[in-house]
Amino acid sequence: MFAIKAVSYTDPGAPALFARSLHETGFAVLKDHPIAPERIDRAYAEWGGFFADEGKFGFKVKPPSPEGYFPFRSENAKGATAKDLKEFFQVYPATALPGAVEETTRALYDDLTDLGITLLEWIQANTPPEVAKTFAEPLPDMLRGSQNSMFRILHYPSQAGEPPEPGATRAAAHEDINLITLLLAGSAPGLQAQDRTGAWHEVPCDPGMIAVNIGDMLQLASGGYYPSTTHRVVNPAVGDGGARFSMPMFMHPRSEVALSPEKTAGAYLQERLREIGLA
């Protein structure tokens, strides 16, 4: 049975419950987490103003840099031909930010980094020894000193009718690249995860929750013990086509970290970015 567990951060048994859900489904949902809800609400409001303003184009990404604003329909899922129906802004530690969002965004980046390290400590402590011994170094240590973790602010514009091309969705079925992703509750539903039979399930993520999922890097490093589960963001139902915002934090190790004898994190990241049209 595909059952994504909702785990209270304050529960003494949270680390084991959290790691078990990730092993069984690739997802877990965290509630009662330590990030202030007011900070999250403020970030959504500030970034809503950014995406509504033409000044956003002044922050447009300048390849090969991965930082900044990506206009509508910039990215496609691996293997997909249609571009996703979204625009977004990618934030790294040294990214230049619009003044109106800078203070809140940098504080939220730091909050999510600290929480991500804690969650990797939980995973490390609850990974079977025969799996953990294959890690090049403990999972939290892979993240310490990394400048590669990326905070992405996503805007899925309102949809009044049919998508602009057949098969286009807000986010086509895909897997994440990184170790783990921390996804602050979106402003509207739509996130779904796929089980091993191919069936889709809504991911619970009410206000105040954070959905956490495994990325391909941790799947590789764990020899598949932690699955990188396919997920998507579906188009809204007809008549309910309002905009949607979400804010995932992609926790990436240092580039030199070995995920397997054949691949470092840096090499693997570049390989995957090429596949989704961002490198």
Side-chain angles (χ1 to χ4, degrees), residues 4 16 24 29 35 52 59 67 78 98 105 121 145 161 179 191 230 235 247 249 256 263-264:
I4 298 171
E24 293 177 348
V29 172
I35 300 178
F59 291 87
E67 305 170 272
K78 178 182 176 181
T105 303
E121 290 171 346
L179 290 173
L191 178 63
T230 303
N235 291 335
M247 296 188 291
M249 179 71 160
E256 71 274 14
K263 289 188 186 291
T264 64

Side-chain angles (χ1 to χ4, degrees), residues 51-71:
F51 286 114
D53 191 275
E54 292 298 305
K56 63 190 177 184
F57 294 104
F59 291 87
K60 187 176 177 181
V61 63
K62 297 179 175 62
S65 169
E67 305 170 272
Y69 171 68
F70 288 73

Side-chain angles (χ1 to χ4, degrees), residues 22-23 26-27 123 175-176 178-181 212-216 218-219 226-229 231:
L22 290 175
H23 167 56
F27 271 82
I123 296 168
E175 300 81 40
D176 290 347
N178 43 291
L179 290 173
I180 58 172
T181 302
V212 181
N213 65 275
I214 299 298
D216 288 348
L218 186 48
Q219 176 175 267
Y226 292 109
S228 180
T229 297
H231 52 286

Side-chain angles (χ1 to χ4, degrees), residues 53-106:
D53 191 275
E54 292 298 305
K56 63 190 177 184
F57 294 104
F59 291 87
K60 187 176 177 181
V61 63
K62 297 179 175 62
S65 169
E67 305 170 272
Y69 171 68
F70 288 73
F72 187 58
R73 302 181 72 194
S74 291
E75 182 182 53
N76 57 273
K78 178 182 176 181
T81 55
K83 295 290 187 180
D84 287 347
L85 305 179
K86 65 192 181 190
E87 59 181 343
F88 52 94
F89 196 107
Q90 296 194 159
V91 180
Y92 293 84
T95 300
L97 293 171
V101 304
E102 182 161 16
E103 182 178 356
T104 303
T105 303
R106 296 213 187 280

Side-chain angles (χ1 to χ4, degrees), residues 14 19 22 31 43 51 54 84 97 102 114 129 133 141 158-159 165 208 211 225 229 236 239 253 275:
L22 290 175
K31 56 185 181 179
F51 286 114
E54 292 298 305
D84 287 347
L97 293 171
E102 182 161 16
D114 291 343
K133 72 180 182 182
D141 292 348
S158 299
Q159 291 180 229
E165 64 177 301
Y225 181 82
T229 297
E275 291 173 343

